Amino acid sequence: MFSRKHLLLLNPWAYDFTACDFWLRPLGLLYLAAIVRQYTDYELDFIDCLDSSQIESGYYFRPKNRTDGRSSFFKEEVTKPEIFRHIPRKYSRYGWPYAQVESRLEKIPAPAAVLITCTLTYWYPGVQAAVELVRKKFGNIPIILGGVYATLCPEHAQSQSGADLILTGPGENQILRILQEIDGKDQFKSKNELPVFPDFDSLPSPAYELSHNTSVLALLTSRGCPFHCSYCASRLLYQRFEQRQPEKVAAEIEYFRQNLGTEQIAFYDDALLINKNHHLIKILEALTDSKEKWRFHTPNGLHPREFDRELARWLKISGFDSLFLSLETSDINLLAETGAKVSPEDLERALGYLEGAGFCRSQISVYLLVGLPGQDKQQVVESIRFVRALGARPRLAYFSPVPGTADWKKLVDSGQLKEDSDPLLQNKLVFPYFWSQFTPEDLDEIKKEATGKNIG
Ligand code: SF4
């Protein structure tokens, strides 16, 4: 008799010094889930350890929830990795309590395979812990690891994660073949050739139906970025920049509203404003036509250079709430060195348009990078003062050395990092303790400057 086998989709914990739910959703895993659901008969079990809305009663957890969907995580302190022993901060496992994941695994049938992801390279201890737990419960079943860590650090993932198979890059044209190889064709709806997804727009919508937390969703209207910033991993994750058709994006968002009660969307695009008149504005036009009230967020910084009066007006009338703009630094030499995607004047102009459209400048956060190779404390302090003088809010973004980027290479060439350094050193909070010219005291002073508790 035909029986449906199970697949387990697992978004593991984050192991870090600090973490919060900044509209984090395992979008890649949910895309793969949608493909598997469409082309096979597998029953899908989904465990999202980073879904704070699913912490069971009985654990002491009072989440700091904001109405915009951001939230704190439950955390359990764990032993710090040896490499961090001299850092005077606690290290924790963020996400579901360990015992809750254990008991959840007790309740699901043994899967034919496990698909696991990992959002940040230096969160790989969460993968290791999850793989260990899965093996304890289900024995030697195939575990497939994809996502950012697997793509950027495939050798480390192969030797250290405990997963059997490392899936690098976008997984849509790989996952069905892998499942066939490990489990045969029995669960496939068709014995014909496997489908090919030629571009991002050909994918089915991410399977948010599997998620419990659907009032606020993260989405991508595009993949990749046309720029080449020296510190950024975008091109390593997606080799080309591709935008979806605006009508399809709007229809998908409407579908989520009608079927999952979604009211807020965080756009996680790297380059949301490129081609704006034919892309974002078209999406917003379609959504405002439906007369539903939306709240939108842009956790990845928007490009100030792309702003004009019309765009600012659309952002205001369509429900953009927490705006994040990218400047990175006001130092023009450093801007030129790192990619020249923006200038301080672009930011000034963008803020003017946004204010003209009815935004309050103090609502607008401006990302400033801290810890870039060659950057010094004074450059950061001056950038903070520049943003503050414009009436916006400086928001510090700590530099993480991503393997394969130009800045990574700079650090390796200068001997500050090794080619095979532990991905834990990519943690954005540890640079003052290892390889940067910033000391921990410098960083404290910079934070005070950014929060207005000035160093004078
Ligand atoms: S503009 Fe942003 S996403 Fe694009 S390469 Fe630069 S940092 Fe990366």
Side-chain angles (χ1 to χ4, degrees):
M1 198 182 89
F2 173 77
S3 67
R4 291 182 73 183
K5 288 188 182 174
H6 283 243
L7 278 187
L8 171 60
L9 305 157
L10 181 52
N11 185 29
W13 301 279
Y15 279 58
D16 210 329
F17 294 100
T18 179
C20 68
D21 183 356
F22 203 59
W23 300 288
L24 287 176
R25 301 288 183 276
L27 200 47
L29 195 59
L30 293 168
Y31 270 112
L32 296 192
I35 291 169
V36 171
R37 197 175 52 184
Q38 188 168 331
Y39 291 95
T40 77
D41 288 311
Y42 286 107
E43 191 91 44
L44 302 180
D45 295 303
F46 177 55
I47 298 180
D48 181 359
C49 296
L50 297 183
D51 180 356
S52 297
S53 71
Q54 292 296 297
I55 306 283
E56 289 166 359
S57 57
Y59 296 101
Y60 182 75
F61 179 52
R62 291 219 186 111
K64 288 183 203 136
N65 284 334
R66 299 193 190 197
T67 58
D68 66 9
R70 282 178 280 180
S71 161
S72 56
F73 286 129
F74 180 84
K75 66 174 175 178
E76 293 167 310
E77 192 180 341
V78 294
T79 310
K80 241 184 297 192
E82 187 55 19
I83 199 172
F84 292 157
R85 71 181 180 286
H86 61 297
I87 298 181
R89 296 185 65 159
K90 291 179 178 172
Y91 192 72
S92 300
R93 176 174 50 236
Y94 290 84
W96 287 14
Y98 189 84
Q100 181 177 324
V101 182
E102 262 186 318
S103 87
R104 182 68 194 280
L105 289 174
E106 287 297 325
K107 291 180 191 129
I108 60 172
V114 180
L115 273 59
I116 184 166
T117 188
C118 184
T119 312
L120 296 176
T121 53
Y122 51 86
W123 283 356
Y124 75 80
V127 177
Q128 292 173 320
V131 167
E132 194 183 307
L133 198 49
V134 165
R135 294 240 186 267
K136 196 167 114 198
K137 167 75 180 104
F138 298 118
N140 202 20
I141 52 169
I143 300 180
I144 304 155
L145 170 66
V148 173
Y149 163 56
T151 301
L152 297 179
C153 306
E155 281 144 27
H156 187 274
Q158 189 72 62
S159 63
Q160 303 297 320
S161 69
D164 300 291
L165 217 143
I166 306 303
L167 194 160
T168 59
E172 62 263 18
N173 287 314
Q174 306 181 65
I175 190 60
L176 295 175
R177 178 185 48 75
I178 291 171
L179 289 175
Q180 270 193 1
E181 278 167 12
I182 60 181
D183 198 37
K185 282 191 172 180
D186 283 356
Q187 302 295 321
F188 280 65
K189 290 183 175 156
S190 157
K191 309 299 173 223
N192 298 334
E193 286 290 297
L194 293 176
V196 174
F197 301 98
D199 53 32
F200 186 35
D201 219 12
S202 61
L203 302 188
S205 298
Y208 270 119
E209 294 81 359
L210 296 171
S211 180
H212 295 272
N213 185 3
T214 54
S215 65
V216 189
L217 299 185
L219 277 189
L220 286 172
T221 74
S222 62
R223 278 200 310 204
C225 177
F227 295 98
H228 287 84
C229 299
S230 58
Y231 42 82
C232 180
S234 185
R235 279 187 179 250
L236 302 168
L237 296 170
Y238 307 108
Q239 287 176 355
R240 60 194 172 112
F241 175 57
E242 34 178 355
Q243 291 183 308
R244 299 184 55 199
Q245 289 174 41
E247 307 74 32
K248 282 178 89 168
V249 176
E252 184 173 285
I253 292 175
E254 285 295 353
Y255 169 87
F256 288 138
R257 174 135 211 162
Q258 299 307 326
N259 294 279
L260 304 178
T262 306
E263 293 173 343
Q264 301 187 49
I265 299 284
F267 291 110
Y268 254 99
D269 299 56
D270 283 336
L272 183 65
L273 302 185
I274 299 296
N275 193 24
K276 56 188 178 287
N277 294 330
H278 303 285
H279 187 68
L280 181 63
I281 291 181
K282 290 278 176 231
I283 296 171
L284 300 179
E285 270 173 3
L287 290 172
T288 14
D289 272 355
S290 74
K291 306 277 185 281
E292 303 276 17
K293 201 166 161 11
W294 288 99
R295 277 178 88 182
F296 297 119
H297 312 286
T298 59
N300 277 352
L302 298 172
H303 292 118
R305 189 169 287 170
E306 293 298 325
F307 277 83
D308 59 21
R309 197 165 287 114
E310 184 63 359
L311 175 68
R313 186 180 76 82
W314 270 107
L315 297 184
K316 185 66 191 166
I317 59 176
S318 57
F320 276 75
D321 205 46
S322 32
L323 282 182
F324 294 84
L325 270 55
S326 292
L327 176 64
E328 322 301 10
T329 172
S330 63
D331 185 292
I332 46 171
N333 295 325
L334 197 52
L335 278 172
E337 259 174 56
T338 53
K341 66 173 176 178
V342 61
S343 69
E345 295 72 34
D346 292 330
L347 178 68
E348 277 188 75
R349 248 191 322 272
L351 290 172
Y353 289 132
L354 287 166
E355 190 173 47
F359 285 96
C360 189
R361 285 181 181 236
S362 59
Q363 262 180 285
I364 301 164
S365 300
V366 177
Y367 284 124
L368 296 173
L369 269 167
V370 185
L372 284 166
Q375 188 184 34
D376 64 34
K377 186 176 98 181
Q378 200 49 35
Q379 284 171 327
V380 181
V381 168
E382 276 163 21
S383 300
I384 292 170
R385 290 177 181 164
F386 175 74
V387 170
R388 212 181 270 302
L390 292 176
R393 295 167 58 177
R395 186 166 177 117
L396 303 180
Y398 302 109
F399 168 70
S400 166
V402 180
T405 58
D407 281 342
W408 163 270
K409 195 167 177 312
K410 229 186 247 178
L411 291 169
V412 171
D413 289 347
S414 65
Q416 287 162 287
L417 275 178
K418 290 201 199 113
E419 198 65 71
D420 61 350
S421 291
D422 192 321
L424 287 174
L425 293 185
Q426 292 161 37
N427 187 307
K428 59 187 170 44
L429 293 177
V430 304
F431 63 91
Y433 298 94
F434 288 94
W435 46 263
S436 152
Q437 61 277 35
F438 288 80
T439 63
E441 293 71 33
D442 287 339
L443 192 56
D444 285 343
E445 290 179 13
I446 286 169
K447 283 185 196 161
K448 281 187 199 152
E449 182 77 37
T451 51
K453 296 172 190 156
N454 211 317
I455 54 176

